[in-house]
Amino acid sequence: MNLLRKNGIWLFAILLIGVVFSSVNYLKPKYSFNWDSHNKLVQSYSLLQNKFQSEELFYPGKKFDPDYKYFPVQNNVFLKLDQRHLSAFPVFFAAISSLWLWVFGFSALPYLSAIGLLLSLLLLYEKWKFSKLSLAIAGLGTFAWILSIEYSEHSFFMFSTLCSLTFALRGKNSLVKFIFSGIFCGISVWFRHEGLVYCASLAFWILFAGNKKGSFKKSISEFLFFSLGAAISVGIFFLFNFIDYGHFLGPRFLINESGLNVSYMTRLEWAKTLLFFGTFKLGYFGYMPASLLLFPILIAGWKKLSPKNRILLGSTLSYIFLVLLIIPNDGFNNWGPRFFGPAVFPFAILFSKYYYFLKKRRKFKFIRILFLICILFSFTCGLIGLKYLKEGRKQQEANNLALHSTNSEIWIFSDDSLAYIAGSDYFNKIIFRVYLAEDLPQFLSDLSKFYPGKKITLIQANDEIFGEKVKSTIKENSKFAYGIGKMIWEKESFESAVRSNLDNREELAKASLKFSIGNLKLR
């Protein structure tokens, strides 16, 4: 019987690992570097190129453009500090993933994120004694799945907060455990600033919910030991940032500072999106409706909860609502609310415990079925998210192949959003971004002196493929019109610049792009 049980666990583990890795493979890792994942790839690659001696971002056009005026990356994800050009993202994850990049290459990076999820599931099985059903729910019935199959720090951010909870709430009572709990909670800040909010939330509930029947002195001791551990790791983070960047919160705060000063109504709109839903976005409760059912039930039975369950529930809910006060945006187009990573596995833990409680009481069968329907909905959201991301990968691949068909050495894009199409080709091509058509004559003239005779391609959106629906949306939606307009150069200035600076000109339209190809004139 024990042998069958062990074999069953191993088969289930292999199946779960297979599903997670297959999800990464399904999304075509080679074409997965777009937007934030591309920015983080550039940061990791730069550390390798600089042999960990500098954080200066790698820029293939730096010799021509040492001031990064035409750097093909959004302004809100890189920072010019003194004479350095730095990524907005904390460097810790880049340092970890650069080693993985060095060993396995570009396409293996999304698998690193998947490993972060699998480490969390292993911890839930070993220390929290999760059943196979509970593991499947934690891994595939929450947005941890969709956040962990793209190259990002999210899975390790969630893993570090889960480690913190595990030290605090599992195993024999020991004050030393709370030091390690604090250390791991502080380490989460090295991945994402939201970790600061989670540290504060967890510390508060350790102090005020940790000892239901015990003395308050014990709670104070646990709180102090946790705070000591958190102070060590967060203190190191602050000190490093202050020495390296001149501000204890680092470049991400320096860039996002203006985004924190938004109107009350804007922040309310963001909260609605992140908690429930928005345009092409699902919030915490929208993605995981089981939490909307579970949390009120547990709150109603607060007095019956054990101290550890109070800590779990209290820290999760306070984090969910407090983090809304510091977010710089609504998560943009992420499928799954990325700011709520630390609140995913606590939900899975509480759900596992309550579902087991319901199984022992037949009269609650209806509630159990309702929970399973909600979990099935969340799993379906994951599948829809995979399909949604897959369509993006298909478009990325089509555009990338179209770019390669030009056989040019220099790629010039009209907008950052188009420049991300380059993906990992960013590292073996010379790439620029020129926003305004009126800047092109001088830019191309200077470029022809620097790279005489080189074959170049100017890339902009192909407005000829816009259907009536898109054209109608452009007329009605000023924000959408502005976003599309940035991808298309003004025709008269563009034509003048190209005629004056290119020989052997060729026009090409493929996928959703329009190419102007030619050789820079000899000056």
Side-chain angles (χ1 to χ4, degrees):
M1 190 69 182
N2 286 335
L3 183 61
L4 286 172
R5 202 171 174 184
K6 284 183 179 179
N7 287 339
I9 286 294
W10 276 109
L11 286 172
F12 176 78
I14 292 169
L15 178 63
L16 195 56
I17 292 169
V19 170
V20 173
F21 281 162
S22 295
S23 300
V24 176
N25 187 61
Y26 174 73
L27 293 178
K28 299 189 175 185
K30 181 180 178 181
Y31 300 104
S32 66
F33 302 108
N34 207 320
W35 297 96
D36 275 1
S37 59
H38 179 276
N39 298 326
K40 291 164 188 175
L41 172 62
V42 172
Q43 186 184 23
S44 295
Y45 182 88
S46 301
L47 285 177
L48 272 183
Q49 284 290 105
N50 301 330
K51 298 179 180 178
F52 293 89
Q53 300 299 306
S54 165
E55 295 172 54
E56 181 79 3
L57 290 175
F58 175 80
Y59 175 26
K62 185 176 180 178
K63 288 183 180 179
F64 171 76
D65 178 30
D67 294 327
Y68 284 58
K69 182 180 178 181
Y70 305 109
F71 187 44
V73 171
Q74 291 171 290
N75 289 332
N76 66 340
V77 293
F78 92 99
L79 175 73
K80 186 173 182 180
L81 195 63
D82 298 325
Q83 297 303 311
R84 298 188 298 164
H85 301 87
L86 308 171
S87 173
F89 302 102
V91 74
F92 184 58
F93 179 68
I96 294 172
S97 52
S98 62
L99 298 174
W100 185 270
L101 171 63
W102 178 58
V103 176
F104 298 108
F106 296 120
S107 296
L109 283 170
Y111 291 98
L112 175 64
S113 299
I115 287 172
L117 172 61
L118 294 173
L119 287 173
S120 293
L121 297 180
L122 179 63
L123 191 59
L124 289 170
Y125 174 72
E126 288 289 341
K127 297 299 182 182
W128 295 87
K129 307 304 177 187
F130 263 36
S131 66
K132 286 179 279 190
L133 174 63
S134 296
L135 282 174
I137 290 170
L140 305 176
T142 67
F143 54 84
W145 181 21
I146 212 73
L147 289 183
S148 302
I149 53 177
E150 292 194 287
Y151 173 54
S152 77
E153 75 285 356
H154 292 293
S155 62
F156 287 94
F157 179 48
M158 291 185 284
F159 176 63
S160 58
T161 56
L162 179 60
C163 286
S164 176
L165 282 174
T166 303
F167 273 109
L169 304 180
R170 301 300 289 177
K172 296 178 181 179
N173 289 329
S174 166
L175 290 176
V176 175
K177 289 196 315 171
F178 282 88
I179 293 180
F180 286 106
S181 176
I183 287 172
F184 274 98
C185 203
I187 286 173
S188 73
V189 182
W190 299 3
F191 292 106
R192 296 187 66 86
H193 283 155
E194 300 95 87
L196 286 169
V197 179
Y198 191 70
C199 283
S201 299
L202 189 53
F204 177 88
W205 289 101
I206 286 172
L207 179 62
F208 290 105
N211 282 280
K212 184 179 176 183
K213 296 179 181 178
S215 67
F216 191 57
K217 287 183 179 179
K218 186 177 180 184
S219 291
I220 292 175
S221 297
E222 291 171 349
F223 166 78
L224 291 174
F225 275 73
F226 174 87
S227 299
L228 174 62
I232 292 170
S233 47
V234 173
I236 293 171
F237 175 76
F238 284 168
L239 183 62
F240 173 82
N241 283 335
F242 186 76
I243 293 171
D244 198 20
Y245 313 115
H247 193 287
F248 70 98
L249 285 175
R252 192 61 175 157
F253 174 80
L254 293 173
I255 288 175
N256 280 337
E257 189 174 6
S258 60
L260 299 175
N261 301 318
V262 296
S263 69
Y264 179 69
M265 291 306 297
T266 298
R267 198 162 286 282
L268 272 181
E269 183 63 29
W270 289 352
K272 191 254 323 178
T273 298
L274 285 164
L275 291 175
F276 300 103
F277 56 85
T279 307
F280 297 113
K281 300 169 190 173
L282 281 173
Y284 185 90
F285 298 116
Y287 196 110
M288 301 192 308
S291 62
L292 202 54
L293 184 62
L294 176 67
F295 291 158
I297 291 173
L298 296 180
I299 291 170
W302 178 265
K303 291 182 179 179
K304 297 178 181 179
L305 294 179
S306 69
K308 291 180 179 180
N309 287 338
R310 285 186 176 189
I311 292 173
L312 270 173
L313 179 62
S315 61
T316 300
L317 288 175
S318 58
Y319 171 80
I320 287 172
F321 292 102
L322 285 174
V323 79
L324 296 173
L325 300 176
I326 68 160
I327 54 171
N329 52 62
D330 67 352
F332 294 108
N333 62 344
N334 287 73
W335 190 258
R338 58 194 170 122
F339 296 117
F340 292 133
V344 175
F345 293 128
F347 156 76
I349 293 167
L350 290 167
F351 179 86
S352 174
K353 291 183 176 189
Y354 189 69
Y355 188 78
Y356 178 74
F357 167 80
L358 291 178
K359 279 183 72 175
K360 296 192 294 183
R361 289 159 176 77
R362 293 185 180 180
K363 64 179 180 179
F364 294 122
K365 186 176 180 180
F366 172 75
I367 298 177
R368 206 165 82 238
I369 292 171
L370 189 58
F371 269 123
L372 290 177
I373 291 171
C374 289
I375 293 299
L376 183 61
F377 172 83
S378 298
F379 175 69
T380 304
C381 285
L383 294 178
I384 294 170
L386 277 174
K387 184 68 177 174
Y388 170 70
L389 292 173
K390 175 74 169 185
E391 290 303 313
R393 297 291 183 274
K394 284 181 179 178
Q395 188 176 14
Q396 175 90 349
E397 181 180 14
N399 287 329
N400 191 267
L401 292 174
L403 269 172
H404 274 276
S405 70
T406 65
N407 295 315
S408 52
E409 300 164 86
I410 301 173
W411 294 348
I412 303 163
F413 294 90
S414 60
D415 188 58
D416 302 318
S417 57
L418 294 181
Y420 286 127
I421 292 167
S424 57
D425 282 316
Y426 173 89
F427 305 104
N428 51 49
K429 295 286 183 180
I430 300 169
I431 297 176
F432 302 102
R433 177 265 305 129
V434 182
Y435 283 131
L436 302 174
E438 50 261 41
D439 291 339
L440 281 172
Q442 188 62 53
F443 170 79
L444 291 176
S445 176
D446 292 341
L447 196 68
S448 63
K449 295 171 186 174
F450 206 85
Y451 298 109
K454 290 281 187 182
K455 190 174 184 181
I456 72 167
T457 298
L458 294 108
I459 304 110
Q460 57 184 319
N462 184 7
D463 56 347
E464 294 175 8
I465 66 169
F466 292 165
E468 289 303 319
K469 188 175 180 181
V470 174
K471 290 177 181 178
S472 175
T473 306
I474 290 172
K475 288 180 181 179
E476 297 170 3
N477 190 320
S478 59
K479 286 185 178 180
F480 184 74
Y482 175 72
I484 292 293
K486 289 196 305 177
M487 301 181 193
I488 302 168
W489 281 303
E490 189 271 316
K491 287 184 180 179
E492 189 174 334
S493 300
F494 174 76
E495 284 297 323
S496 174
V498 171
R499 279 197 305 268
S500 303
N501 293 284
L502 289 191
D503 289 326
N504 308 316
R505 182 180 174 184
E506 179 186 354
E507 294 295 318
L508 189 65
K510 282 190 176 183
S512 59
L513 303 175
K514 186 186 289 184
F515 306 126
S516 296
I517 309 160
N519 298 92
L520 289 167
K521 287 187 175 182
L522 300 174
R523 302 288 181 181

